[in-house]
mmCIF file of all heavy atoms in Angstrom:
data_model
loop_
_atom_site.group_PDB
_atom_site.id
_atom_site.type_symbol
_atom_site.label_atom_id
_atom_site.label_comp_id
_atom_site.label_asym_id
_atom_site.label_seq_id
_atom_site.Cartn_x
_atom_site.Cartn_y
_atom_site.Cartn_z
ATOM 1 N N ASP Y 511 -6.277 -5.927 18.519
ATOM 2 C CA ASP Y 511 -5.929 -6.723 17.339
ATOM 3 C C ASP Y 511 -6.978 -7.788 17.058
ATOM 4 O O ASP Y 511 -7.310 -8.072 15.890
ATOM 5 C CB ASP Y 511 -4.559 -7.368 17.528
ATOM 6 C CG ASP Y 511 -3.422 -6.348 17.487
ATOM 7 O OD1 ASP Y 511 -3.661 -5.207 17.029
ATOM 8 O OD2 ASP Y 511 -2.294 -6.694 17.899
ATOM 9 N N LEU Y 512 -7.517 -8.409 18.113
ATOM 10 C CA LEU Y 512 -8.568 -9.418 17.924
ATOM 11 C C LEU Y 512 -9.813 -8.802 17.284
ATOM 12 O O LEU Y 512 -10.405 -9.373 16.351
ATOM 13 C CB LEU Y 512 -8.942 -10.044 19.262
ATOM 14 C CG LEU Y 512 -7.995 -11.098 19.849
ATOM 15 C CD1 LEU Y 512 -8.416 -11.447 21.263
ATOM 16 C CD2 LEU Y 512 -7.971 -12.347 18.975
ATOM 17 N N ILE Y 513 -10.220 -7.644 17.793
ATOM 18 C CA ILE Y 513 -11.413 -6.993 17.249
ATOM 19 C C ILE Y 513 -11.174 -6.531 15.817
ATOM 20 O O ILE Y 513 -12.063 -6.643 14.953
ATOM 21 C CB ILE Y 513 -11.846 -5.821 18.155
ATOM 22 C CG1 ILE Y 513 -12.287 -6.363 19.529
ATOM 23 C CG2 ILE Y 513 -12.982 -5.029 17.525
ATOM 24 C CD1 ILE Y 513 -12.549 -5.287 20.561
ATOM 25 N N ALA Y 514 -9.967 -6.050 15.527
ATOM 26 C CA ALA Y 514 -9.633 -5.641 14.156
ATOM 27 C C ALA Y 514 -9.686 -6.831 13.212
ATOM 28 O O ALA Y 514 -10.172 -6.715 12.076
ATOM 29 C CB ALA Y 514 -8.250 -4.989 14.128
ATOM 30 N N LEU Y 515 -9.198 -7.993 13.662
ATOM 31 C CA LEU Y 515 -9.269 -9.200 12.831
ATOM 32 C C LEU Y 515 -10.717 -9.608 12.586
ATOM 33 O O LEU Y 515 -11.079 -10.029 11.478
ATOM 34 C CB LEU Y 515 -8.530 -10.350 13.505
ATOM 35 C CG LEU Y 515 -7.028 -10.456 13.294
ATOM 36 C CD1 LEU Y 515 -6.484 -11.688 13.997
ATOM 37 C CD2 LEU Y 515 -6.688 -10.524 11.802
ATOM 38 N N ARG Y 516 -11.534 -9.493 13.615
ATOM 39 C CA ARG Y 516 -12.957 -9.841 13.457
ATOM 40 C C ARG Y 516 -13.598 -8.967 12.391
ATOM 41 O O ARG Y 516 -14.409 -9.437 11.587
ATOM 42 C CB ARG Y 516 -13.676 -9.674 14.804
ATOM 43 C CG ARG Y 516 -15.136 -10.107 14.778
ATOM 44 C CD ARG Y 516 -15.800 -9.937 16.137
ATOM 45 N NE ARG Y 516 -17.198 -10.333 16.071
ATOM 46 C CZ ARG Y 516 -17.657 -11.546 16.288
ATOM 47 N NH1 ARG Y 516 -16.812 -12.507 16.611
ATOM 48 N NH2 ARG Y 516 -18.951 -11.827 16.208
ATOM 49 N N ARG Y 517 -13.248 -7.692 12.375
ATOM 50 C CA ARG Y 517 -13.796 -6.785 11.364
ATOM 51 C C ARG Y 517 -13.256 -7.090 9.974
ATOM 52 O O ARG Y 517 -13.963 -6.945 8.972
ATOM 53 C CB ARG Y 517 -13.465 -5.341 11.736
ATOM 54 C CG ARG Y 517 -14.311 -4.767 12.855
ATOM 55 C CD ARG Y 517 -14.060 -3.291 13.023
ATOM 56 N NE ARG Y 517 -15.053 -2.663 13.886
ATOM 57 C CZ ARG Y 517 -15.102 -1.370 14.139
ATOM 58 N NH1 ARG Y 517 -14.217 -0.544 13.589
ATOM 59 N NH2 ARG Y 517 -16.036 -0.877 14.931
ATOM 60 N N ALA Y 518 -12.006 -7.516 9.906
ATOM 61 C CA ALA Y 518 -11.336 -7.675 8.614
ATOM 62 C C ALA Y 518 -11.676 -8.983 7.916
ATOM 63 O O ALA Y 518 -11.586 -9.070 6.679
ATOM 64 C CB ALA Y 518 -9.821 -7.560 8.801
ATOM 65 N N HIS Y 519 -12.057 -10.013 8.675
ATOM 66 C CA HIS Y 519 -12.262 -11.345 8.087
ATOM 67 C C HIS Y 519 -13.714 -11.782 8.228
ATOM 68 O O HIS Y 519 -14.201 -12.023 9.347
ATOM 69 C CB HIS Y 519 -11.338 -12.357 8.757
ATOM 70 C CG HIS Y 519 -9.890 -12.114 8.479
ATOM 71 N ND1 HIS Y 519 -9.248 -12.612 7.370
ATOM 72 C CD2 HIS Y 519 -8.966 -11.386 9.167
ATOM 73 C CE1 HIS Y 519 -7.981 -12.228 7.389
ATOM 74 N NE2 HIS Y 519 -7.786 -11.477 8.456
ATOM 75 N N PRO Y 520 -14.431 -11.915 7.125
ATOM 76 C CA PRO Y 520 -15.845 -12.324 7.173
ATOM 77 C C PRO Y 520 -16.061 -13.650 7.897
ATOM 78 O O PRO Y 520 -17.122 -13.856 8.511
ATOM 79 C CB PRO Y 520 -16.220 -12.433 5.685
ATOM 80 C CG PRO Y 520 -15.253 -11.545 4.980
ATOM 81 C CD PRO Y 520 -13.986 -11.639 5.744
ATOM 82 N N GLU Y 521 -15.075 -14.562 7.835
ATOM 83 C CA GLU Y 521 -15.242 -15.851 8.512
ATOM 84 C C GLU Y 521 -15.496 -15.678 10.013
ATOM 85 O O GLU Y 521 -16.245 -16.456 10.614
ATOM 86 C CB GLU Y 521 -13.987 -16.722 8.341
ATOM 87 C CG GLU Y 521 -13.665 -17.075 6.896
ATOM 88 C CD GLU Y 521 -12.549 -16.220 6.357
ATOM 89 O OE1 GLU Y 521 -12.586 -14.995 6.589
ATOM 90 O OE2 GLU Y 521 -11.642 -16.769 5.703
ATOM 91 N N LEU Y 522 -14.863 -14.664 10.597
ATOM 92 C CA LEU Y 522 -15.002 -14.461 12.037
ATOM 93 C C LEU Y 522 -16.322 -13.790 12.398
ATOM 94 O O LEU Y 522 -16.686 -13.736 13.576
ATOM 95 C CB LEU Y 522 -13.827 -13.642 12.568
ATOM 96 C CG LEU Y 522 -12.460 -14.303 12.443
ATOM 97 C CD1 LEU Y 522 -11.363 -13.366 12.931
ATOM 98 C CD2 LEU Y 522 -12.405 -15.620 13.212
ATOM 99 N N ARG Y 523 -17.015 -13.265 11.400
ATOM 100 C CA ARG Y 523 -18.327 -12.651 11.639
ATOM 101 C C ARG Y 523 -19.477 -13.542 11.175
ATOM 102 O O ARG Y 523 -20.642 -13.180 11.311
ATOM 103 C CB ARG Y 523 -18.423 -11.296 10.931
ATOM 104 C CG ARG Y 523 -17.352 -10.298 11.335
ATOM 105 C CD ARG Y 523 -17.656 -8.899 10.806
ATOM 106 N NE ARG Y 523 -17.866 -8.865 9.371
ATOM 107 C CZ ARG Y 523 -16.895 -8.764 8.467
ATOM 108 N NH1 ARG Y 523 -15.629 -8.715 8.859
ATOM 109 N NH2 ARG Y 523 -17.167 -8.729 7.171
ATOM 110 N N ASP Y 524 -19.157 -14.716 10.651
ATOM 111 C CA ASP Y 524 -20.169 -15.645 10.151
ATOM 112 C C ASP Y 524 -21.015 -16.140 11.321
ATOM 113 O O ASP Y 524 -20.498 -16.741 12.264
ATOM 114 C CB ASP Y 524 -19.474 -16.818 9.467
ATOM 115 C CG ASP Y 524 -20.446 -17.769 8.788
ATOM 116 O OD1 ASP Y 524 -21.677 -17.633 9.002
ATOM 117 O OD2 ASP Y 524 -19.992 -18.659 8.050
ATOM 118 N N PRO Y 525 -22.341 -15.915 11.302
ATOM 119 C CA PRO Y 525 -23.186 -16.299 12.438
ATOM 120 C C PRO Y 525 -23.683 -17.739 12.403
ATOM 121 O O PRO Y 525 -24.411 -18.159 13.307
ATOM 122 C CB PRO Y 525 -24.358 -15.330 12.305
ATOM 123 C CG PRO Y 525 -24.507 -15.156 10.825
ATOM 124 C CD PRO Y 525 -23.097 -15.172 10.275
ATOM 125 N N ARG Y 526 -23.304 -18.510 11.385
ATOM 126 C CA ARG Y 526 -23.864 -19.860 11.244
ATOM 127 C C ARG Y 526 -23.238 -20.805 12.267
ATOM 128 O O ARG Y 526 -22.075 -21.179 12.159
ATOM 129 C CB ARG Y 526 -23.626 -20.384 9.832
ATOM 130 C CG ARG Y 526 -24.369 -19.627 8.728
ATOM 131 C CD ARG Y 526 -23.981 -20.169 7.371
ATOM 132 N NE ARG Y 526 -22.537 -20.029 7.157
ATOM 133 C CZ ARG Y 526 -21.832 -20.743 6.281
ATOM 134 N NH1 ARG Y 526 -22.435 -21.656 5.544
ATOM 135 N NH2 ARG Y 526 -20.531 -20.545 6.141
ATOM 136 N N LEU Y 527 -24.033 -21.213 13.233
ATOM 137 C CA LEU Y 527 -23.533 -22.128 14.254
ATOM 138 C C LEU Y 527 -23.209 -23.496 13.677
ATOM 139 O O LEU Y 527 -22.287 -24.174 14.151
ATOM 140 C CB LEU Y 527 -24.567 -22.266 15.378
ATOM 141 C CG LEU Y 527 -24.704 -21.059 16.314
ATOM 142 C CD1 LEU Y 527 -25.838 -21.281 17.306
ATOM 143 C CD2 LEU Y 527 -23.402 -20.793 17.050
ATOM 144 N N ASP Y 528 -23.967 -23.922 12.660
ATOM 145 C CA ASP Y 528 -23.701 -25.236 12.088
ATOM 146 C C ASP Y 528 -22.441 -25.255 11.237
ATOM 147 O O ASP Y 528 -22.024 -26.310 10.747
ATOM 148 C CB ASP Y 528 -24.900 -25.744 11.283
ATOM 149 C CG ASP Y 528 -25.331 -24.800 10.178
ATOM 150 O OD1 ASP Y 528 -24.712 -23.722 10.024
ATOM 151 O OD2 ASP Y 528 -26.296 -25.120 9.459
ATOM 152 N N ALA Y 529 -21.799 -24.081 11.069
ATOM 153 C CA ALA Y 529 -20.524 -24.017 10.358
ATOM 154 C C ALA Y 529 -19.341 -23.991 11.314
ATOM 155 O O ALA Y 529 -18.186 -23.983 10.881
ATOM 156 C CB ALA Y 529 -20.487 -22.787 9.451
ATOM 157 N N VAL Y 530 -19.616 -23.953 12.618
ATOM 158 C CA VAL Y 530 -18.547 -23.928 13.624
ATOM 159 C C VAL Y 530 -18.244 -25.357 14.058
ATOM 160 O O VAL Y 530 -19.140 -26.142 14.358
ATOM 161 C CB VAL Y 530 -18.961 -23.093 14.852
ATOM 162 C CG1 VAL Y 530 -17.829 -23.061 15.884
ATOM 163 C CG2 VAL Y 530 -19.341 -21.683 14.441
ATOM 164 N N HIS Y 531 -16.954 -25.668 14.084
ATOM 165 C CA HIS Y 531 -16.515 -27.004 14.516
ATOM 166 C C HIS Y 531 -15.389 -26.823 15.526
ATOM 167 O O HIS Y 531 -14.540 -25.934 15.364
ATOM 168 C CB HIS Y 531 -16.031 -27.822 13.307
ATOM 169 C CG HIS Y 531 -15.482 -29.160 13.662
ATOM 170 N ND1 HIS Y 531 -16.222 -30.115 14.316
ATOM 171 C CD2 HIS Y 531 -14.250 -29.701 13.463
ATOM 172 C CE1 HIS Y 531 -15.480 -31.201 14.491
ATOM 173 N NE2 HIS Y 531 -14.271 -30.976 13.984
ATOM 174 N N VAL Y 532 -15.385 -27.642 16.571
ATOM 175 C CA VAL Y 532 -14.361 -27.543 17.612
ATOM 176 C C VAL Y 532 -13.721 -28.907 17.831
ATOM 177 O O VAL Y 532 -14.416 -29.919 17.975
ATOM 178 C CB VAL Y 532 -14.962 -27.033 18.940
ATOM 179 C CG1 VAL Y 532 -13.912 -27.063 20.045
ATOM 180 C CG2 VAL Y 532 -15.500 -25.614 18.774
ATOM 181 N N GLU Y 533 -12.382 -28.926 17.824
ATOM 182 C CA GLU Y 533 -11.610 -30.123 18.153
ATOM 183 C C GLU Y 533 -10.838 -29.848 19.438
ATOM 184 O O GLU Y 533 -10.463 -28.707 19.707
ATOM 185 C CB GLU Y 533 -10.629 -30.465 17.032
ATOM 186 C CG GLU Y 533 -11.286 -30.804 15.705
ATOM 187 C CD GLU Y 533 -10.241 -31.006 14.619
ATOM 188 O OE1 GLU Y 533 -9.609 -30.015 14.210
ATOM 189 O OE2 GLU Y 533 -10.065 -32.171 14.207
ATOM 190 N N TYR Y 534 -10.566 -30.894 20.223
ATOM 191 C CA TYR Y 534 -9.808 -30.697 21.448
ATOM 192 C C TYR Y 534 -9.173 -32.006 21.891
ATOM 193 O O TYR Y 534 -9.590 -33.104 21.476
ATOM 194 C CB TYR Y 534 -10.702 -30.164 22.565
ATOM 195 C CG TYR Y 534 -11.844 -31.082 22.932
ATOM 196 C CD1 TYR Y 534 -11.686 -32.079 23.896
ATOM 197 C CD2 TYR Y 534 -13.089 -30.964 22.318
ATOM 198 C CE1 TYR Y 534 -12.725 -32.933 24.234
ATOM 199 C CE2 TYR Y 534 -14.133 -31.806 22.647
ATOM 200 C CZ TYR Y 534 -13.950 -32.791 23.605
ATOM 201 O OH TYR Y 534 -14.970 -33.645 23.926
ATOM 202 N N ASP Y 535 -8.172 -31.882 22.723
ATOM 203 C CA ASP Y 535 -7.554 -33.009 23.398
ATOM 204 C C ASP Y 535 -7.446 -32.611 24.866
ATOM 205 O O ASP Y 535 -6.584 -31.806 25.239
ATOM 206 C CB ASP Y 535 -6.170 -33.309 22.809
ATOM 207 C CG ASP Y 535 -5.539 -34.566 23.400
ATOM 208 O OD1 ASP Y 535 -5.749 -34.833 24.597
ATOM 209 O OD2 ASP Y 535 -4.816 -35.279 22.669
ATOM 210 N N ALA Y 536 -8.329 -33.147 25.682
ATOM 211 C CA ALA Y 536 -8.374 -32.746 27.085
ATOM 212 C C ALA Y 536 -7.103 -33.127 27.823
ATOM 213 O O ALA Y 536 -6.648 -32.396 28.716
ATOM 214 C CB ALA Y 536 -9.596 -33.369 27.757
ATOM 215 N N ASP Y 537 -6.504 -34.256 27.477
ATOM 216 C CA ASP Y 537 -5.278 -34.682 28.153
ATOM 217 C C ASP Y 537 -4.111 -33.765 27.806
ATOM 218 O O ASP Y 537 -3.326 -33.379 28.677
ATOM 219 C CB ASP Y 537 -4.939 -36.122 27.779
ATOM 220 C CG ASP Y 537 -5.969 -37.119 28.314
ATOM 221 O OD1 ASP Y 537 -6.574 -36.814 29.375
ATOM 222 O OD2 ASP Y 537 -6.171 -38.157 27.683
ATOM 223 N N ALA Y 538 -4.020 -33.398 26.536
ATOM 224 C CA ALA Y 538 -2.933 -32.510 26.097
ATOM 225 C C ALA Y 538 -3.245 -31.041 26.386
ATOM 226 O O ALA Y 538 -2.368 -30.186 26.304
ATOM 227 C CB ALA Y 538 -2.661 -32.708 24.608
ATOM 228 N N GLN Y 539 -4.493 -30.742 26.664
ATOM 229 C CA GLN Y 539 -4.969 -29.395 27.023
ATOM 230 C C GLN Y 539 -4.864 -28.402 25.853
ATOM 231 O O GLN Y 539 -4.365 -27.307 26.007
ATOM 232 C CB GLN Y 539 -4.201 -28.849 28.241
ATOM 233 C CG GLN Y 539 -4.367 -29.682 29.493
ATOM 234 C CD GLN Y 539 -3.664 -29.069 30.682
ATOM 235 O OE1 GLN Y 539 -4.058 -28.003 31.153
ATOM 236 N NE2 GLN Y 539 -2.615 -29.724 31.163
ATOM 237 N N TRP Y 540 -5.352 -28.823 24.691
ATOM 238 C CA TRP Y 540 -5.473 -27.873 23.585
ATOM 239 C C TRP Y 540 -6.878 -27.945 22.995
ATOM 240 O O TRP Y 540 -7.583 -28.947 23.142
ATOM 241 C CB TRP Y 540 -4.408 -28.099 22.501
ATOM 242 C CG TRP Y 540 -4.389 -29.462 21.827
ATOM 243 C CD1 TRP Y 540 -3.532 -30.487 22.070
ATOM 244 C CD2 TRP Y 540 -5.269 -29.932 20.782
ATOM 245 N NE1 TRP Y 540 -3.814 -31.578 21.263
ATOM 246 C CE2 TRP Y 540 -4.868 -31.246 20.451
ATOM 247 C CE3 TRP Y 540 -6.346 -29.369 20.097
ATOM 248 C CZ2 TRP Y 540 -5.509 -32.000 19.476
ATOM 249 C CZ3 TRP Y 540 -6.988 -30.130 19.118
ATOM 250 C CH2 TRP Y 540 -6.573 -31.425 18.814
ATOM 251 N N LEU Y 541 -7.273 -26.849 22.365
ATOM 252 C CA LEU Y 541 -8.588 -26.761 21.719
ATOM 253 C C LEU Y 541 -8.466 -25.887 20.480
ATOM 254 O O LEU Y 541 -7.788 -24.849 20.515
ATOM 255 C CB LEU Y 541 -9.619 -26.197 22.696
ATOM 256 C CG LEU Y 541 -11.063 -26.029 22.191
ATOM 257 C CD1 LEU Y 541 -12.062 -26.328 23.315
ATOM 258 C CD2 LEU Y 541 -11.296 -24.606 21.676
ATOM 259 N N VAL Y 542 -9.108 -26.304 19.401
ATOM 260 C CA VAL Y 542 -9.084 -25.549 18.140
ATOM 261 C C VAL Y 542 -10.526 -25.302 17.689
ATOM 262 O O VAL Y 542 -11.323 -26.243 17.577
ATOM 263 C CB VAL Y 542 -8.325 -26.314 17.040
ATOM 264 C CG1 VAL Y 542 -8.353 -25.520 15.730
ATOM 265 C CG2 VAL Y 542 -6.887 -26.592 17.461
ATOM 266 N N MET Y 543 -10.855 -24.043 17.409
ATOM 267 C CA MET Y 543 -12.181 -23.674 16.901
ATOM 268 C C MET Y 543 -12.064 -23.303 15.430
ATOM 269 O O MET Y 543 -11.265 -22.439 15.061
ATOM 270 C CB MET Y 543 -12.754 -22.499 17.700
ATOM 271 C CG MET Y 543 -14.132 -22.042 17.236
ATOM 272 S SD MET Y 543 -14.911 -20.856 18.390
ATOM 273 C CE MET Y 543 -13.748 -19.472 18.313
ATOM 274 N N HIS Y 544 -12.851 -23.976 14.587
ATOM 275 C CA HIS Y 544 -12.842 -23.749 13.141
ATOM 276 C C HIS Y 544 -13.791 -22.618 12.788
ATOM 277 O O HIS Y 544 -14.971 -22.665 13.121
ATOM 278 C CB HIS Y 544 -13.285 -25.011 12.397
ATOM 279 C CG HIS Y 544 -12.372 -26.182 12.575
ATOM 280 N ND1 HIS Y 544 -12.037 -27.021 11.544
ATOM 281 C CD2 HIS Y 544 -11.710 -26.665 13.668
ATOM 282 C CE1 HIS Y 544 -11.226 -27.971 11.973
ATOM 283 N NE2 HIS Y 544 -11.028 -27.777 13.273
ATOM 284 N N ARG Y 545 -13.283 -21.613 12.066
ATOM 285 C CA ARG Y 545 -14.100 -20.484 11.602
ATOM 286 C C ARG Y 545 -13.786 -20.257 10.132
ATOM 287 O O ARG Y 545 -12.936 -19.434 9.774
ATOM 288 C CB ARG Y 545 -13.805 -19.235 12.419
ATOM 289 C CG ARG Y 545 -14.046 -19.389 13.903
ATOM 290 C CD ARG Y 545 -15.531 -19.454 14.267
ATOM 291 N NE ARG Y 545 -16.120 -18.121 14.282
ATOM 292 C CZ ARG Y 545 -17.178 -17.753 13.579
ATOM 293 N NH1 ARG Y 545 -17.797 -18.618 12.798
ATOM 294 N NH2 ARG Y 545 -17.625 -16.516 13.647
ATOM 295 N N GLY Y 546 -14.443 -21.050 9.262
ATOM 296 C CA GLY Y 546 -14.113 -20.985 7.841
ATOM 297 C C GLY Y 546 -12.694 -21.482 7.620
ATOM 298 O O GLY Y 546 -12.324 -22.573 8.067
ATOM 299 N N ARG Y 547 -11.876 -20.663 6.974
ATOM 300 C CA ARG Y 547 -10.472 -21.033 6.752
ATOM 301 C C ARG Y 547 -9.575 -20.596 7.907
ATOM 302 O O ARG Y 547 -8.353 -20.793 7.865
ATOM 303 C CB ARG Y 547 -9.956 -20.397 5.454
ATOM 304 C CG ARG Y 547 -10.583 -20.968 4.189
ATOM 305 C CD ARG Y 547 -10.008 -20.333 2.941
ATOM 306 N NE ARG Y 547 -8.564 -20.537 2.858
ATOM 307 C CZ ARG Y 547 -7.641 -19.581 3.024
ATOM 308 N NH1 ARG Y 547 -8.021 -18.342 3.309
ATOM 309 N NH2 ARG Y 547 -6.365 -19.847 2.905
ATOM 310 N N ILE Y 548 -10.171 -20.009 8.954
ATOM 311 C CA ILE Y 548 -9.386 -19.554 10.103
ATOM 312 C C ILE Y 548 -9.573 -20.531 11.258
ATOM 313 O O ILE Y 548 -10.673 -21.025 11.513
ATOM 314 C CB ILE Y 548 -9.821 -18.137 10.526
ATOM 315 C CG1 ILE Y 548 -9.520 -17.132 9.398
ATOM 316 C CG2 ILE Y 548 -9.112 -17.718 11.813
ATOM 317 C CD1 ILE Y 548 -9.995 -15.726 9.686
ATOM 318 N N ARG Y 549 -8.473 -20.808 11.940
ATOM 319 C CA ARG Y 549 -8.520 -21.646 13.129
ATOM 320 C C ARG Y 549 -8.094 -20.814 14.341
ATOM 321 O O ARG Y 549 -7.045 -20.154 14.315
ATOM 322 C CB ARG Y 549 -7.567 -22.851 12.991
ATOM 323 C CG ARG Y 549 -7.828 -23.728 11.772
ATOM 324 C CD ARG Y 549 -9.137 -24.491 11.898
ATOM 325 N NE ARG Y 549 -9.374 -25.335 10.724
ATOM 326 C CZ ARG Y 549 -10.086 -24.957 9.671
ATOM 327 N NH1 ARG Y 549 -10.641 -23.746 9.656
ATOM 328 N NH2 ARG Y 549 -10.256 -25.764 8.648
ATOM 329 N N VAL Y 550 -8.903 -20.839 15.380
ATOM 330 C CA VAL Y 550 -8.516 -20.246 16.651
ATOM 331 C C VAL Y 550 -7.883 -21.371 17.466
ATOM 332 O O VAL Y 550 -8.572 -22.281 17.926
ATOM 333 C CB VAL Y 550 -9.723 -19.642 17.391
ATOM 334 C CG1 VAL Y 550 -9.267 -18.997 18.709
ATOM 335 C CG2 VAL Y 550 -10.432 -18.615 16.523
ATOM 336 N N VAL Y 551 -6.566 -21.332 17.608
ATOM 337 C CA VAL Y 551 -5.793 -22.417 18.200
ATOM 338 C C VAL Y 551 -5.386 -22.018 19.612
ATOM 339 O O VAL Y 551 -4.824 -20.935 19.813
ATOM 340 C CB VAL Y 551 -4.537 -22.724 17.361
ATOM 341 C CG1 VAL Y 551 -3.836 -23.982 17.874
ATOM 342 C CG2 VAL Y 551 -4.894 -22.883 15.884
ATOM 343 N N THR Y 552 -5.667 -22.868 20.582
ATOM 344 C CA THR Y 552 -5.349 -22.528 21.974
ATOM 345 C C THR Y 552 -4.580 -23.658 22.648
ATOM 346 O O THR Y 552 -4.873 -24.845 22.437
ATOM 347 C CB THR Y 552 -6.625 -22.236 22.782
ATOM 348 O OG1 THR Y 552 -7.399 -23.441 22.912
ATOM 349 C CG2 THR Y 552 -7.468 -21.171 22.102
ATOM 350 N N ASN Y 553 -3.608 -23.290 23.461
ATOM 351 C CA ASN Y 553 -2.846 -24.232 24.280
ATOM 352 C C ASN Y 553 -2.973 -23.809 25.734
ATOM 353 O O ASN Y 553 -2.434 -22.785 26.146
ATOM 354 C CB ASN Y 553 -1.372 -24.222 23.854
ATOM 355 C CG ASN Y 553 -0.501 -25.030 24.807
ATOM 356 O OD1 ASN Y 553 -0.963 -25.979 25.440
ATOM 357 N ND2 ASN Y 553 0.780 -24.655 24.914
ATOM 358 N N LEU Y 554 -3.718 -24.574 26.526
ATOM 359 C CA LEU Y 554 -3.906 -24.247 27.929
ATOM 360 C C LEU Y 554 -2.881 -24.916 28.829
ATOM 361 O O LEU Y 554 -2.886 -24.702 30.042
ATOM 362 C CB LEU Y 554 -5.311 -24.631 28.383
ATOM 363 C CG LEU Y 554 -6.421 -23.664 27.956
ATOM 364 C CD1 LEU Y 554 -6.930 -24.006 26.564
ATOM 365 C CD2 LEU Y 554 -7.569 -23.660 28.950
ATOM 366 N N ALA Y 555 -1.989 -25.707 28.256
ATOM 367 C CA ALA Y 555 -0.958 -26.375 29.047
ATOM 368 C C ALA Y 555 0.083 -25.369 29.521
ATOM 369 O O ALA Y 555 0.281 -24.316 28.908
ATOM 370 C CB ALA Y 555 -0.301 -27.469 28.218
ATOM 371 N N ASP Y 556 0.779 -25.704 30.606
ATOM 372 C CA ASP Y 556 1.789 -24.797 31.148
ATOM 373 C C ASP Y 556 3.159 -25.021 30.522
ATOM 374 O O ASP Y 556 4.183 -24.590 31.074
ATOM 375 C CB ASP Y 556 1.874 -24.918 32.670
ATOM 376 C CG ASP Y 556 2.189 -26.326 33.134
ATOM 377 O OD1 ASP Y 556 2.456 -27.198 32.273
ATOM 378 O OD2 ASP Y 556 2.173 -26.572 34.356
#
């Protein structure tokens, strides 16, 4: 499903590093990667 999404959405194939932005809260243990209008949202907390 991840690879299919990468193929389907140009934002996920955009190679521009200066267009990538990452936010995080180390104490809360989350990180969000900005890819155009798509956000890869992660929660590493238990």
